[in-house]
Amino acid sequence: MTRHIRHAGYFCALLLVALLVNAARVQVVQAPSYDRNPGNRRPDITRYEQPRGDILVGGRPVTGSRDTREHLRYERTYTDGPMYAPVTGFASQLYGTTLLESAEDGVLSGADPMLAPFPLWNDFTRARNAGGDVVTTLHPAAQEAAYEGLAGHKGAVAALEPSTGRILALVSAPSYDPQPLSGNGSAAARAWSRLTADKDRPMLNRAVRQTYPPGSTFKVVTAAAALDAGVVTDLEAPTDTPDPYRLPGTRTRLTNASKGCANASVREAFTLSCNTVFAKLGAEAGVTDMTATAHAFGFNNGALRIPFPVARSTFDTTLDQAQLALSSIGQYNTRATPLQMAMVAAAVANGGQVRDPYLVERTTRPGGSTLATAGSRATRQAMYPSTAARLRAMMRDVVENGTGRNAAIRGAKVGGKTGTAQHGLGNSGTPYAWFVSWAQGDRDLAPRVAVAVVVEDAETDRGDISGGGDAAPIARAVMEAVLKSPDQPFG
C-alpha cells in the first residue's frame, strides 16, 4: 500500500511540475504571440488603464488624460491642440500615435524599462509603470507668434536656437485638433475621415515632412560655397555677369526681378537677390564644391530625427552646368524643409557651425526626476568662420537696405534673406514666399534665434508675392517673441 501511495505522490508531483511548466510556457514563452493576437484586447486594456504621461512646453503640460470609465479607460486630451499638433501629433485608441506621441511613446505610456525600479519583476508580472513626461525645447511665445502669423495661410515656420540646435517653434498651417481622434468610437472615425479627405491636408507636418524649392533663400548656401572655394574674394568687386544671363550650354536666358543686377558685386546681388549673379557663381564653384557645402548644411541627409523623422532635403549631385546654375538659386531639383532652411540661417548665425536640431530637452519619471537628457548635439562646420561673418554682414544689408526690411526689429541686429520660389508645370503654381533670418538682441553676445518661414498661398497678385512682403513679417514676430523673453527655462 505504501508503495502505491508513493507512486501516486510521484505522479501528482509530476502533474504539478507539468502544470507549472505549461503555465510558464504560456505566460513567458508564448506571451509575445498572444500579445500580438488581434483578438486579444488585454494589451490595449492594460495600455489605457492608467493616465498617459504629459508633453510639456515652457513647464506647462499641453496634453492630459480623461477618465472615460470604459474598458479603454483613459483617453488623450490636448490644450491648444491645433497650435501644438505639429509637435505632439496624436495618440488615438483607433489610429495609433504620431510625432512626439509616437517617438516618446515608451516614456509616455509607461512601457519604457527605464521607468521601472525592478525591470525584471515587471517582465514577470506584466505590470506597467506610470507614464513619464516629455519636456520640449519649445518657446511658448515664439510658437504662438508663428501660429498666429500663419493664420489663414498654408505654410510653415521653424525656429532654432543657433548655438544649441534647440527647436523654439515648429508650426504648420493649416493645422488640426488632435483631440477628436483620441477615442475609439464613431466620433473618432468621423474625425479621421474628415481630416484625411481634406484637400488642404491639415495633418501634413509642413515644417518637417514637406519639402519645397527654397528659391533665393538657397543663395546663402551658394554664397558660402563660392566664398569657401575662393571663387569670390572681394564682395565689392563686379562679377562680370550679364543681365540676362545665358545658362551654360543652352539658349535659355535667365533674368532678374530686380534692376541693377548687370555686373553687380556679390554684396549688391545678395541685397537685390539677383538670380543671374548667383546662378553664375554656382556654376563657377562647380558641382563638387556646391554639393559638399550643401551636404555640410544638412542637405541629402535622410537620417535626421528630432526625435521623429524629418524629410530629406535634396541637392542633386548629378547635374550639368545649366542645371547646376538653376539649382544654385534654389530651383531645378533643389528641395528643402523649413527646418532645413532654419538650419542654414542658424549656421550663419553660429559662426558657420551646424548643430543638429532637437525637440526634447529631457524626459522625466512620474515624480519629476530626470530619466534622460538631450545631451550634446552633433556639430559640423558648414563654412569657414570668416565666411559666416561675411554672410552675416550681407544678411544684415538685406534687412537694412534690401528686400527684407519688413523683418527689422528696433534695437536688434537682424539678418535675413528673401526668396520667391517658382514651382508647378511651367512654373504655373502660385510662387512660394520664403524668408530665412536670425536675430541678436542689443545685450546678447550672439544671435539667439534663427527662423525659416514659407507661405504657400500668399494672398496678393502673383507678381507681388515676395518673401519680404509675405513671410518676413511672420519671422519678425517670432524673433521678437524670443528676444523679448528671458532665457527659456526648459521644463
Side-chain angles (χ1 to χ4, degrees):
M1 178 65 72
T2 303
R3 182 168 58 88
H4 293 302
I5 293 174
R6 186 167 60 249
H7 288 170
Y10 289 154
F11 182 67
C12 290
L14 180 63
L15 290 178
L16 181 60
V17 170
L19 183 63
L20 292 174
V21 169
N22 187 59
R25 179 182 63 84
V26 171
Q27 295 183 12
V28 178
V29 178
Q30 292 187 326
S33 64
Y34 288 128
D35 284 343
R36 293 190 297 267
N37 191 314
N40 181 14
R41 297 199 68 202
R42 292 192 65 82
D44 287 338
I45 293 172
T46 301
R47 177 181 176 86
Y48 297 109
E49 71 182 359
Q50 64 185 22
R52 192 170 172 82
D54 285 321
I55 297 171
L56 278 63
V57 175
R60 179 180 68 91
V62 296
T63 58
S65 296
R66 182 175 70 88
D67 190 349
T68 65
R69 305 293 180 182
E70 298 176 354
H71 275 101
L72 304 185
R73 183 169 176 179
Y74 284 95
E75 187 177 291
R76 197 55 148 167
T77 62
Y78 295 89
T79 302
D80 295 323
M83 183 163 70
Y84 291 109
V87 174
T88 63
F90 60 76
S92 170
Q93 294 175 351
L94 275 180
Y95 303 107
T97 56
T98 59
L99 303 182
L100 272 190
E101 293 277 30
S102 176
E104 299 293 345
D105 183 66
V107 171
L108 294 168
S109 68
D112 192 321
M114 293 290 290
L115 291 168
F118 306 108
L120 294 179
W121 176 252
N122 277 15
D123 287 345
F124 180 74
T125 62
R126 317 291 291 175
R128 184 180 290 260
N129 300 288
D133 292 338
V134 174
V135 180
T136 71
T137 61
L138 291 181
H139 189 295
Q143 184 79 2
E144 184 175 0
Y147 180 72
E148 291 179 352
L150 280 174
H153 290 291
K154 290 181 188 177
V157 176
L160 301 173
E161 185 176 67
S163 62
T164 63
R166 288 186 178 109
I167 296 175
L168 304 178
L170 203 66
V171 170
S172 176
S175 189
Y176 71 103
D177 187 356
Q179 178 70 58
L181 298 174
S182 296
N184 56 64
S186 59
R190 287 194 301 271
W192 178 265
S193 297
R194 174 177 52 81
L195 289 169
T196 53
D198 192 327
K199 61 181 178 60
D200 289 332
R201 304 175 70 191
M203 289 198 292
L204 171 64
N205 190 338
R206 289 170 164 85
V208 297
R209 296 301 302 164
Q210 178 74 1
T211 60
Y212 303 86
S216 291
T217 60
F218 192 79
K219 291 171 184 173
V220 176
V221 179
T222 302
L227 285 165
D228 276 3
V231 172
V232 175
T233 56
D234 184 356
L235 296 177
E236 312 298 339
T239 55
D240 192 26
T241 306
D243 184 7
Y245 166 68
R246 186 168 61 84
L247 296 177
T250 74
R251 296 180 179 178
T252 303
R253 295 182 179 273
L254 186 66
T255 59
N256 298 291
S258 302
K259 295 181 179 179
C261 290
N263 204 31
S265 69
V266 172
R267 186 182 299 279
E268 291 170 333
F270 196 86
T271 302
L272 296 174
S273 199
C274 298
N275 288 333
T276 51
V277 172
F278 280 90
K280 182 171 178 283
L281 282 182
E284 290 175 347
V287 172
T288 300
D289 285 327
M290 282 296 300
T291 299
T293 301
H295 282 185
F297 275 105
F299 284 81
N300 297 335
N301 176 14
L304 182 62
R305 302 288 188 273
I306 62 170
F308 47 81
V310 177
R312 180 173 174 265
S313 297
T314 57
F315 184 80
D316 201 332
T317 60
T318 57
L319 301 165
D320 62 28
Q321 284 293 94
Q323 294 164 346
L324 176 59
L326 290 175
S327 297
S328 299
I329 59 172
Q331 297 291 164
Y332 189 59
N333 286 341
T334 305
R335 307 278 297 188
T337 62
L339 181 63
Q340 173 62 68
M341 294 313 297
M343 291 169 63
V344 169
V348 174
N350 195 38
Q353 288 189 333
V354 179
R355 290 273 190 178
D356 281 350
Y358 66 99
L359 189 53
V360 175
E361 189 67 26
R362 66 179 180 273
T363 54
T364 66
R365 295 181 174 85
S369 61
T370 297
L371 182 67
T373 59
S376 60
R377 309 300 291 180
T379 305
R380 58 186 177 275
Q381 199 72 32
M383 68 194 105
Y384 294 131
S386 58
T387 296
R390 297 168 89 179
L391 276 171
R392 283 197 300 275
M394 289 198 295
M395 291 179 77
R396 288 190 66 184
D397 283 346
V398 169
V399 173
E400 294 170 5
N401 306 306
T403 55
R405 290 184 178 90
N406 284 335
I409 300 172
R410 186 183 299 275
K413 297 176 183 177
V414 179
K417 184 70 192 78
T418 56
T420 305
Q422 308 294 331
H423 67 100
L425 184 63
N427 293 333
S428 59
T430 301
Y432 299 138
W434 275 94
F435 193 72
V436 299
S437 59
W438 53 265
Q440 178 177 347
D442 56 355
R443 296 183 180 180
D444 296 330
L445 298 178
R448 285 178 58 191
V449 57
V451 182
V453 178
V454 63
V455 179
E456 294 184 26
D457 58 347
E459 294 178 345
T460 60
D461 291 336
R462 178 186 175 91
D464 295 330
I465 294 173
S466 69
D470 301 294
I474 301 173
R476 180 187 64 220
V478 175
M479 292 186 293
E480 281 183 320
V482 175
L483 296 182
K484 288 180 179 179
S485 302
D487 289 342
Q488 177 72 4
F490 298 100

